[in-house]
Short mmCIF file of all heavy atoms in Angstrom, two decimals:
data_model
loop_
_atom_site.label_atom_id
_atom_site.label_comp_id
_atom_site.label_asym_id
_atom_site.label_seq_id
_atom_site.Cartn_x
_atom_site.Cartn_y
_atom_site.Cartn_z
N ASN A 84 -4.36 11.19 -1.02
CA ASN A 84 -4.03 11.93 -2.21
C ASN A 84 -2.57 11.73 -2.61
O ASN A 84 -2.22 11.74 -3.81
CB ASN A 84 -4.34 13.39 -2.05
CG ASN A 84 -5.82 13.70 -2.05
OD1 ASN A 84 -6.63 12.92 -2.62
ND2 ASN A 84 -6.23 14.76 -1.41
N SER A 85 -1.72 11.57 -1.61
CA SER A 85 -0.30 11.50 -1.85
C SER A 85 0.10 10.22 -2.61
O SER A 85 1.21 10.16 -3.18
CB SER A 85 0.47 11.57 -0.53
OG SER A 85 0.08 10.53 0.34
N VAL A 86 -0.76 9.22 -2.56
CA VAL A 86 -0.39 7.96 -3.24
C VAL A 86 -1.39 7.57 -4.32
O VAL A 86 -1.17 6.58 -5.07
CB VAL A 86 -0.35 6.79 -2.23
CG1 VAL A 86 0.73 7.07 -1.16
CG2 VAL A 86 -1.69 6.51 -1.60
N LYS A 87 -2.42 8.35 -4.49
CA LYS A 87 -3.43 8.00 -5.49
C LYS A 87 -2.86 7.86 -6.87
O LYS A 87 -2.07 8.72 -7.31
CB LYS A 87 -4.56 9.06 -5.43
CG LYS A 87 -5.87 8.66 -6.08
CD LYS A 87 -6.93 9.72 -5.81
CE LYS A 87 -7.28 9.83 -4.36
NZ LYS A 87 -8.37 10.80 -4.12
N GLY A 88 -3.21 6.81 -7.55
CA GLY A 88 -2.67 6.54 -8.87
C GLY A 88 -1.41 5.73 -8.89
O GLY A 88 -0.97 5.25 -9.95
N ARG A 89 -0.78 5.61 -7.71
CA ARG A 89 0.49 4.85 -7.64
C ARG A 89 0.34 3.62 -6.79
O ARG A 89 1.24 2.75 -6.80
CB ARG A 89 1.56 5.73 -7.00
CG ARG A 89 1.90 6.98 -7.78
CD ARG A 89 3.14 7.69 -7.21
NE ARG A 89 2.96 8.21 -5.88
CZ ARG A 89 3.70 7.83 -4.83
NH1 ARG A 89 4.65 6.92 -5.00
NH2 ARG A 89 3.50 8.35 -3.64
N VAL A 90 -0.75 3.49 -6.10
CA VAL A 90 -0.95 2.42 -5.12
C VAL A 90 -2.27 1.70 -5.37
O VAL A 90 -3.27 2.35 -5.71
CB VAL A 90 -0.92 3.02 -3.69
CG1 VAL A 90 -1.47 2.03 -2.68
CG2 VAL A 90 0.46 3.43 -3.34
N THR A 91 -2.29 0.42 -5.21
CA THR A 91 -3.51 -0.36 -5.20
C THR A 91 -3.56 -1.21 -3.95
O THR A 91 -2.52 -1.59 -3.38
CB THR A 91 -3.62 -1.29 -6.44
OG1 THR A 91 -2.52 -2.20 -6.45
CG2 THR A 91 -3.64 -0.47 -7.71
N ILE A 92 -4.77 -1.49 -3.47
CA ILE A 92 -4.96 -2.33 -2.30
C ILE A 92 -5.95 -3.42 -2.68
O ILE A 92 -6.89 -3.21 -3.43
CB ILE A 92 -5.49 -1.50 -1.13
CG1 ILE A 92 -5.58 -2.33 0.14
CG2 ILE A 92 -6.83 -0.84 -1.42
CD1 ILE A 92 -5.84 -1.54 1.43
N SER A 93 -5.68 -4.60 -2.20
CA SER A 93 -6.54 -5.75 -2.51
C SER A 93 -6.58 -6.67 -1.27
O SER A 93 -5.67 -6.64 -0.46
CB SER A 93 -6.01 -6.48 -3.73
OG SER A 93 -4.69 -6.94 -3.53
N ARG A 94 -7.61 -7.51 -1.23
CA ARG A 94 -7.71 -8.45 -0.13
C ARG A 94 -8.07 -9.83 -0.65
O ARG A 94 -8.79 -9.95 -1.67
CB ARG A 94 -8.72 -7.98 0.90
CG ARG A 94 -10.16 -7.95 0.45
CD ARG A 94 -11.05 -7.29 1.53
NE ARG A 94 -11.00 -8.03 2.81
CZ ARG A 94 -11.26 -7.48 4.00
NH1 ARG A 94 -11.61 -6.19 4.05
NH2 ARG A 94 -11.21 -8.18 5.08
N ASP A 95 -7.60 -10.83 0.04
CA ASP A 95 -7.93 -12.23 -0.26
C ASP A 95 -8.46 -12.84 1.03
O ASP A 95 -7.69 -13.20 1.92
CB ASP A 95 -6.68 -12.95 -0.75
CG ASP A 95 -6.95 -14.39 -1.14
OD1 ASP A 95 -7.99 -14.95 -0.72
OD2 ASP A 95 -6.12 -14.98 -1.84
N ASN A 96 -9.75 -12.93 1.14
CA ASN A 96 -10.36 -13.39 2.39
C ASN A 96 -10.08 -14.86 2.63
O ASN A 96 -10.06 -15.29 3.79
CB ASN A 96 -11.88 -13.13 2.38
CG ASN A 96 -12.21 -11.64 2.40
OD1 ASN A 96 -11.46 -10.86 2.97
ND2 ASN A 96 -13.30 -11.28 1.78
N ALA A 97 -9.90 -15.64 1.59
CA ALA A 97 -9.57 -17.05 1.80
C ALA A 97 -8.20 -17.22 2.43
O ALA A 97 -7.97 -18.17 3.18
CB ALA A 97 -9.67 -17.77 0.47
N ALA A 98 -7.29 -16.31 2.10
CA ALA A 98 -5.94 -16.41 2.59
C ALA A 98 -5.70 -15.50 3.79
O ALA A 98 -4.63 -15.49 4.36
CB ALA A 98 -4.93 -16.05 1.50
N ASN A 99 -6.74 -14.70 4.17
CA ASN A 99 -6.64 -13.75 5.27
C ASN A 99 -5.50 -12.74 5.03
O ASN A 99 -4.72 -12.43 5.94
CB ASN A 99 -6.39 -14.48 6.61
CG ASN A 99 -7.63 -15.15 7.13
OD1 ASN A 99 -8.68 -15.10 6.50
ND2 ASN A 99 -7.52 -15.76 8.29
N THR A 100 -5.41 -12.23 3.83
CA THR A 100 -4.36 -11.28 3.53
C THR A 100 -4.93 -10.00 2.89
O THR A 100 -5.96 -10.04 2.21
CB THR A 100 -3.31 -11.85 2.60
OG1 THR A 100 -3.95 -12.26 1.36
CG2 THR A 100 -2.60 -13.03 3.22
N VAL A 101 -4.22 -8.90 3.11
CA VAL A 101 -4.48 -7.66 2.42
C VAL A 101 -3.16 -7.15 1.90
O VAL A 101 -2.19 -7.11 2.67
CB VAL A 101 -5.22 -6.64 3.33
CG1 VAL A 101 -4.42 -6.37 4.57
CG2 VAL A 101 -5.51 -5.37 2.53
N ASP A 102 -3.09 -6.83 0.63
CA ASP A 102 -1.86 -6.41 -0.01
C ASP A 102 -1.89 -4.95 -0.42
O ASP A 102 -2.97 -4.43 -0.79
CB ASP A 102 -1.59 -7.28 -1.22
CG ASP A 102 -1.25 -8.70 -0.88
OD1 ASP A 102 -1.02 -8.97 0.32
OD2 ASP A 102 -1.20 -9.55 -1.77
N LEU A 103 -0.72 -4.35 -0.41
CA LEU A 103 -0.57 -2.98 -0.87
C LEU A 103 0.52 -2.97 -1.94
O LEU A 103 1.67 -3.27 -1.66
CB LEU A 103 -0.17 -2.06 0.29
CG LEU A 103 -0.10 -0.58 -0.01
CD1 LEU A 103 -1.51 -0.02 -0.16
CD2 LEU A 103 0.64 0.17 1.07
N GLU A 104 0.10 -2.73 -3.16
CA GLU A 104 1.04 -2.66 -4.27
C GLU A 104 1.38 -1.21 -4.53
O GLU A 104 0.51 -0.38 -4.76
CB GLU A 104 0.38 -3.28 -5.53
CG GLU A 104 1.25 -3.23 -6.78
CD GLU A 104 2.28 -4.33 -6.79
OE1 GLU A 104 2.02 -5.39 -6.23
OE2 GLU A 104 3.36 -4.12 -7.39
N MET A 105 2.70 -0.92 -4.40
CA MET A 105 3.12 0.48 -4.57
C MET A 105 4.05 0.60 -5.77
O MET A 105 5.04 -0.13 -5.85
CB MET A 105 3.86 0.93 -3.30
CG MET A 105 3.00 0.82 -2.02
SD MET A 105 3.79 1.54 -0.60
CE MET A 105 5.17 0.41 -0.39
N ASN A 106 3.77 1.49 -6.63
CA ASN A 106 4.55 1.73 -7.86
C ASN A 106 5.05 3.16 -7.88
O ASN A 106 4.57 4.03 -7.16
CB ASN A 106 3.67 1.45 -9.10
CG ASN A 106 3.15 0.04 -9.10
OD1 ASN A 106 3.91 -0.92 -9.06
ND2 ASN A 106 1.84 -0.12 -9.16
N THR A 107 6.01 3.38 -8.77
CA THR A 107 6.59 4.71 -8.94
C THR A 107 6.92 5.33 -7.58
O THR A 107 6.53 6.46 -7.27
CB THR A 107 5.65 5.61 -9.72
OG1 THR A 107 4.98 4.92 -10.78
CG2 THR A 107 6.42 6.79 -10.36
N LEU A 108 7.63 4.55 -6.79
CA LEU A 108 7.95 5.01 -5.43
C LEU A 108 8.85 6.23 -5.46
O LEU A 108 9.70 6.40 -6.30
CB LEU A 108 8.62 3.87 -4.65
CG LEU A 108 7.59 2.80 -4.19
CD1 LEU A 108 8.32 1.52 -3.84
CD2 LEU A 108 6.78 3.31 -3.00
N LYS A 109 8.64 7.06 -4.43
CA LYS A 109 9.39 8.31 -4.26
C LYS A 109 10.12 8.28 -2.90
O LYS A 109 9.67 7.58 -2.00
CB LYS A 109 8.44 9.49 -4.26
CG LYS A 109 7.55 9.56 -5.52
CD LYS A 109 6.56 10.74 -5.40
CE LYS A 109 5.64 10.81 -6.60
NZ LYS A 109 4.68 11.91 -6.49
N PRO A 110 11.20 9.02 -2.77
CA PRO A 110 11.88 9.08 -1.48
C PRO A 110 10.94 9.45 -0.32
O PRO A 110 11.10 8.96 0.80
CB PRO A 110 12.95 10.14 -1.69
CG PRO A 110 13.26 10.03 -3.15
CD PRO A 110 11.93 9.77 -3.80
N GLU A 111 9.94 10.28 -0.60
CA GLU A 111 9.00 10.69 0.47
C GLU A 111 8.05 9.56 0.87
O GLU A 111 7.30 9.72 1.81
CB GLU A 111 8.22 11.93 0.04
CG GLU A 111 7.55 11.85 -1.31
CD GLU A 111 8.41 12.50 -2.40
OE1 GLU A 111 9.64 12.30 -2.41
OE2 GLU A 111 7.80 13.20 -3.24
N ASP A 112 8.10 8.45 0.16
CA ASP A 112 7.33 7.28 0.60
C ASP A 112 8.06 6.48 1.67
O ASP A 112 7.49 5.51 2.21
CB ASP A 112 7.05 6.34 -0.58
CG ASP A 112 6.13 6.98 -1.63
OD1 ASP A 112 5.14 7.65 -1.21
OD2 ASP A 112 6.41 6.83 -2.84
N THR A 113 9.27 6.84 1.98
CA THR A 113 10.04 6.17 3.02
C THR A 113 9.35 6.29 4.34
O THR A 113 9.07 7.41 4.81
CB THR A 113 11.47 6.73 3.06
OG1 THR A 113 12.15 6.47 1.86
CG2 THR A 113 12.24 6.13 4.26
N ALA A 114 9.07 5.15 4.98
CA ALA A 114 8.37 5.13 6.26
C ALA A 114 8.27 3.70 6.74
O ALA A 114 8.58 2.74 5.99
CB ALA A 114 6.96 5.75 6.10
N VAL A 115 7.81 3.57 7.96
CA VAL A 115 7.37 2.27 8.44
C VAL A 115 5.88 2.16 8.09
O VAL A 115 5.07 3.05 8.39
CB VAL A 115 7.54 2.11 9.97
CG1 VAL A 115 7.03 0.78 10.44
CG2 VAL A 115 9.02 2.26 10.33
N TYR A 116 5.52 1.05 7.45
CA TYR A 116 4.16 0.84 6.98
C TYR A 116 3.45 -0.16 7.91
O TYR A 116 4.00 -1.23 8.21
CB TYR A 116 4.14 0.33 5.52
CG TYR A 116 4.41 1.41 4.53
CD1 TYR A 116 5.67 2.01 4.42
CD2 TYR A 116 3.40 1.91 3.72
CE1 TYR A 116 5.91 3.03 3.53
CE2 TYR A 116 3.62 2.94 2.82
CZ TYR A 116 4.89 3.48 2.71
OH TYR A 116 5.10 4.53 1.83
N TYR A 117 2.25 0.24 8.32
CA TYR A 117 1.48 -0.55 9.26
C TYR A 117 0.16 -1.03 8.63
O TYR A 117 -0.53 -0.25 7.94
CB TYR A 117 1.14 0.26 10.50
CG TYR A 117 2.35 0.71 11.30
CD1 TYR A 117 2.95 1.93 11.06
CD2 TYR A 117 2.86 -0.11 12.33
CE1 TYR A 117 4.05 2.34 11.78
CE2 TYR A 117 3.96 0.30 13.09
CZ TYR A 117 4.52 1.53 12.79
OH TYR A 117 5.63 1.94 13.53
N CYS A 118 -0.17 -2.25 8.89
CA CYS A 118 -1.47 -2.78 8.52
C CYS A 118 -2.40 -2.63 9.72
O CYS A 118 -1.96 -2.75 10.86
CB CYS A 118 -1.28 -4.27 8.18
SG CYS A 118 -2.78 -5.21 7.90
N ALA A 119 -3.67 -2.34 9.46
CA ALA A 119 -4.61 -2.12 10.55
C ALA A 119 -5.98 -2.69 10.18
O ALA A 119 -6.36 -2.70 9.03
CB ALA A 119 -4.75 -0.66 10.86
N ALA A 120 -6.69 -3.14 11.19
CA ALA A 120 -8.04 -3.66 11.02
C ALA A 120 -9.04 -2.75 11.73
O ALA A 120 -8.83 -2.37 12.87
CB ALA A 120 -8.15 -5.10 11.58
#
């Protein structure tokens, strides 16, 4: 809920990547971000 509307996630299976697009960032978004499978 804290990021809904500001973040999108997408994957490219051919490239083996998953991306996180973050917009309208806030100071409370400051953190270490981890990818997980």
Side-chain angles (χ1 to χ4, degrees):
N84 288 335
S85 59
V86 301
K87 198 172 294 182
R89 300 189 294 121
V90 165
T91 59
I92 186 170
S93 59
R94 67 188 300 156
D95 183 342
N96 293 329
N99 285 3
T100 58
V101 57
D102 291 350
L103 186 72
E104 180 78 30
M105 302 187 293
N106 301 304
T107 320
L108 283 161
K109 305 175 182 180
E111 50 263 43
D112 294 317
T113 295
V115 177
Y116 283 71
Y117 298 91
C118 172

